[in-house]
Amino acid sequence: MIALATFHIAMIPTSLLTAMNTIAMAMIGLTLMAITTISVTTVAMTVNFARRRRVLSIGSSIRSRSTSRIMALLTASLFLFCTPRSNAAVNVDMNVSHAGPRTVESLTERGIVRDYRIAWISLAHALEFNALGALSGPFVSTAKESLVNTVSSQQHSGLSTRYLNQNHKVEAVYYAPEGDVIELHDAADYQLQIFDGGKLVHDEHVVMHYVVLMTPAADHWVVRQLQAVPQF
Amino acid sequence: MSWSTNTVWANRRMRRLLRNGSGIVATLSLAGGMCAAQDLRAPSAMTAGEAATISTTGSGKATFYLVGPGVANKSDISLGSEISLRAQDLRDSGQYFATLCSDSCHSASFFVMPAKPANLAFLVHPSRVPVAASDAVSGVAIAFDQFGNLVRDPGTVNFQLTAGKASLLSRAVTAHDGIAWFRATSGKSAGPLQVVASLGDLSARRNVQEVASEPCNLRITGQRTKDGLMVETEPVHDCAGNPVPDGTIVSFTATDASGKSTVDAPIKRGIARAEIAASGPVVVSVASGVAMGNELRMGGGQ
C-alpha cells in the first residue's frame, strides 16, 4: 500500500501526498485490525473451550472482559504502529517580516509554510522507510540529489534515519524582486535516530540551522537547496 | 563542532541485566566497557570534496557509521586507528554524524563547509522590457561550489548592464547568505541589453530584449476610396523615438451619420493601415494602448 501511495509520486500534487500516505496507512491499519480481531476471537474461543473443560466455575463475563482488553490493547498497538510517525509532528512557524526586497504576501506565506512542512514530512518518510518516491514532489535540483543519494546509501548499508518531533522556526530572509526565489533560515530541532537494521545506534535531540532556497513550481513551492550550517 | 555521546546499547543492556537480577554481571559488563572505552575525534573544519580522517581510541573491532547529507555508510574498523573519510563521501556541505559502536556507541558531529565558488546561478527578469521603465530589470546571483553547495560568503558580485556600447549600470554588491541582487531602470533605446554578473573569475551573462514602449504621437492620414476610406498611420514610434514593434494593434474609429465603427489593425513595417466603409462626412480617430492620436475629418465629397 505504501508503494502504491508513493507510486508515480511526481505526477501527484504534493498537497495530496500526506493525505494519500495517511489513507494508505489507515487502510493497512484497518486490514490488520480485522485480521487481529478474527485471530483474537479464534484464540479466545479456543481458550474458552479449554477453560470450560477444566474450570467450569469461571464466569463467562470475566472471560469476555479479558478478551475485550486483549483486543483493545492489540488494536491500539496496531494503530500506533501504523500511524506514520514521520508525519506525526512537524511544526513549522514562519516569520516573513524581515524578507525583502519583495514583500511576502499572506497567501504566498501560507503556501510556503504548507509546502515546506510537506517537504519535511516527505524527507522524514523517505529516510525512515528508504522510500525514494517520497522525494520527487517537494524537492528538486541539489536538494533532491543529495537526499536521493542519502536514501540510496542507506538502502545499500541497511541504515535508516528517523526524524521525530520536528519543530521548525523559519524566517524568510530574502524574497527576490520577481518572486522567483525565496531564502529561508530554519532553526529546527528534532529527535534524530539512526538505525542499523533494527538496532538504534544514535539517538539525539539536535538543534540544526538550515539555509533553504525554495522556488515556485506550477502549483506549489519546491525545495531547491537544504543545507545545514553551523549558525546563521 | 559539537560532540555527543550515545550510550543507548549500554543503557539497554544495563536495564536488561538489572531486570534479570544479574547485578554483578551488569557491573562487570559496564566495567569492561569502560576498560575498552572507544572514542572518536573529527577535525574541526572540513571542506566539501576533500578527504579527511577521524581518529579513534580504544582497541578491538568496532562498527563505524557516517551519516550526513548524501551519505549513509557503515564499515568495520579497528579501534585505535584512523578512519579515512573519502572525498566523495564529503561532497555535500552540512552536518555529518559519525558514530562508533562496539560495546556501546559514541558519536561526534561535524560540519563540512562549501568549497570555493565555482558556479554562479543568475536569474534575470524580464526577458523583454520596455525602454525607460523604472526598476524594470532585476537580477539575482547565487554562488555555488562545484558540488552544488550554496556558498554563503562568496564576496562581492559585480553587476554590469550594457546596451550597445553604452554602460547603463555598474554596481558591486556584497552577497549575503550567498545571494546578491540588483534592480535597475531599463535603457532608452530598443535592442539587446547585456546583463553580466561576475564574481572573481566567474561570470554569467544574460540578454534582455529592450523594446519600444507605448506608441507616442500617433498621426494618421487618409483618403477616399471607391468603397469608403483608406486610413493609415505615419511610422509609429514611442516617446523616445524607437519604432514600435510590428504586430502592435492600432485601433481606428470612424464616426459618421450612421454611427460608430472600429477597425483594429496590426502595425506592419512600422505602419498600421485600415479600410473603413463610410459615406458622407466622417471623423476618424486613432488609438493604440493608452496613446491617442489625431482626429481626421473628411467631408462627403472628398
Side-chain angles (χ1 to χ4, degrees):
Chain A
M1 296 302 285
I2 297 167
L4 276 175
T6 52
F7 185 64
H8 281 314
I9 205 151
M11 301 174 72
I12 301 167
T14 49
S15 54
L16 293 176
L17 182 63
T18 312
M20 288 183 68
N21 280 341
T22 309
I23 290 166
M25 289 299 185
M27 288 173 73
I28 293 170
L30 287 171
T31 311
L32 289 174
M33 193 173 69
I35 294 166
T36 308
T37 308
I38 293 164
S39 307
V40 168
T41 309
T42 311
V43 170
M45 284 171 69
T46 312
V47 169
N48 284 346
F49 180 70
R51 281 183 180 176
R52 272 198 202 107
R53 283 177 59 186
R54 278 184 281 166
V55 191
L56 292 170
S57 61
I58 297 174
S60 61
S61 62
I62 296 171
R63 286 196 300 273
S64 67
R65 230 179 293 150
S66 302
T67 309
S68 304
R69 280 177 190 166
I70 292 166
M71 281 178 64
L73 193 65
L74 280 170
T75 309
S77 307
L78 277 171
F79 265 116
L80 283 174
F81 175 76
C82 291
T83 303
R85 283 177 295 270
S86 50
N87 296 11
V90 178
N91 299 315
V92 177
D93 292 324
M94 187 154 112
N95 176 19
V96 296
S97 61
H98 297 113
R102 187 185 177 100
T103 304
V104 182
E105 293 177 4
S106 60
L107 270 177
T108 307
E109 179 185 352
R110 267 183 271 165
I112 290 169
V113 169
R114 177 199 63 208
D115 295 331
Y116 189 60
R117 183 173 179 276
I118 287 172
W120 271 98
I121 290 170
S122 303
L123 180 152
H125 183 85
L127 292 175
E128 182 173 354
F129 301 106
N130 287 330
L132 282 170
L135 300 171
S136 294
F139 296 96
V140 295
S141 185
T142 313
K144 185 179 174 187
E145 285 168 24
S146 178
L147 288 166
V148 165
N149 288 341
T150 308
V151 171
S152 302
S153 192
Q154 284 193 166
Q155 286 172 338
H156 184 256
S157 54
L159 303 179
S160 61
T161 313
R162 193 180 286 173
Y163 293 76
L164 300 174
N165 304 322
Q166 297 180 40
N167 291 298
H168 300 268
K169 300 279 183 202
V170 181
E171 179 161 14
V173 293
Y174 176 79
Y175 189 31
E178 298 297 324
D180 49 359
V181 63
I182 190 166
E183 184 173 35
L184 310 174
H185 282 178
D186 177 10
D189 70 275
Y190 48 78
Q191 194 71 22
L192 178 70
Q193 297 179 332
I194 301 170
F195 289 86
D196 179 1
K199 289 186 294 188
L200 180 64
V201 296
H202 183 80
D203 187 5
E204 183 184 0
H205 183 262
V206 293
V207 177
M208 304 282 279
H209 297 89
Y210 290 97
V211 175
V212 185
L213 293 180
M214 292 183 80
T215 54
D219 60 350
H220 62 285
W221 286 78
V222 291
V223 177
R224 191 164 284 272
Q225 196 85 24
L226 182 66
Q227 191 170 311
V229 296
Q231 59 190 19
F232 295 130
Chain B
M1 189 177 68
S2 67
W3 290 86
S4 64
T5 300
N6 183 343
T7 54
V8 179
W9 283 5
N11 288 340
R12 284 184 168 182
R13 193 170 170 182
M14 182 69 175
R15 278 200 298 269
R16 203 181 311 130
L17 290 168
L18 286 173
R19 205 167 42 236
N20 293 339
S22 308
I24 297 169
V25 179
T27 311
L28 288 174
S29 171
L30 274 186
M34 283 176 207
C35 289
Q38 81 277 9
D39 206 349
L40 71 168
R41 183 172 291 275
S44 56
M46 293 190 195
T47 304
E50 291 182 6
T53 56
I54 291 179
S55 59
T56 65
T57 60
S59 59
K61 297 287 182 188
T63 305
F64 175 70
Y65 301 93
L66 178 67
V67 175
V71 66
N73 287 348
K74 171 188 173 184
S75 56
D76 294 326
I77 59 115
S78 297
L79 290 171
S81 61
E82 283 195 334
I83 303 167
S84 297
L85 305 181
R86 298 176 303 173
Q88 70 233 41
D89 290 336
L90 302 174
R91 290 159 61 105
D92 292 353
S93 174
Q95 191 164 11
Y96 288 69
F97 294 88
T99 302
L100 200 56
C101 292
S102 57
D103 287 337
S104 60
C105 292
H106 293 257
S107 295
S109 68
F110 59 87
F111 278 95
V112 170
M113 307 308 289
K116 65 177 185 178
N119 292 307
L120 205 55
F122 191 27
L123 309 171
V124 176
H125 283 285
S127 56
R128 284 163 63 91
V129 63
V131 295
S134 178
D135 284 342
V137 182
S138 68
V140 181
I142 308 174
F144 296 97
D145 69 7
Q146 61 176 313
F147 307 109
N149 300 306
L150 177 71
V151 183
R152 293 182 68 203
D153 190 18
T156 302
V157 177
N158 290 298
F159 294 108
Q160 287 190 318
L161 274 68
T162 314
K165 290 181 180 176
S167 175
L168 296 183
L169 174 87
S170 180
R171 189 181 296 167
V173 179
T174 304
H176 293 286
D177 275 318
I179 293 179
W181 68 281
F182 76 91
R183 193 155 47 189
T185 300
S186 59
K188 291 195 171 148
S189 55
L193 172 68
Q194 292 207 333
V195 187
V196 178
S198 53
L199 171 69
D201 299 336
L202 301 172
S203 69
R205 183 185 301 268
R206 301 287 181 269
N207 278 323
V208 172
Q209 186 66 31
E210 287 188 313
V211 296
S213 190
E214 294 289 327
C216 195
N217 298 323
L218 275 175
R219 292 197 61 79
I220 53 171
T221 56
Q223 59 185 22
R224 285 279 178 190
T225 61
K226 191 170 62 178
D227 300 323
L229 296 171
M230 173 63 81
V231 288
E232 67 176 30
T233 64
E234 292 178 357
V236 184
H237 294 94
D238 67 6
C239 294
N242 299 296
V244 173
D246 283 3
T248 304
I249 298 296
V250 174
S251 300
F252 298 93
T253 303
T255 308
D256 61 7
S258 61
K260 192 179 278 188
S261 62
T262 300
V263 176
D264 291 335
I267 294 174
K268 286 181 184 171
R269 296 183 183 177
I271 292 171
R273 207 174 268 119
E275 190 168 356
I276 300 171
S279 58
V282 61
V283 177
V284 182
S285 63
V286 64
S288 179
V290 295
M292 295 284 292
N294 64 313
E295 280 189 349
L296 185 67
R297 294 171 184 277
M298 301 182 81
Q302 294 176 355

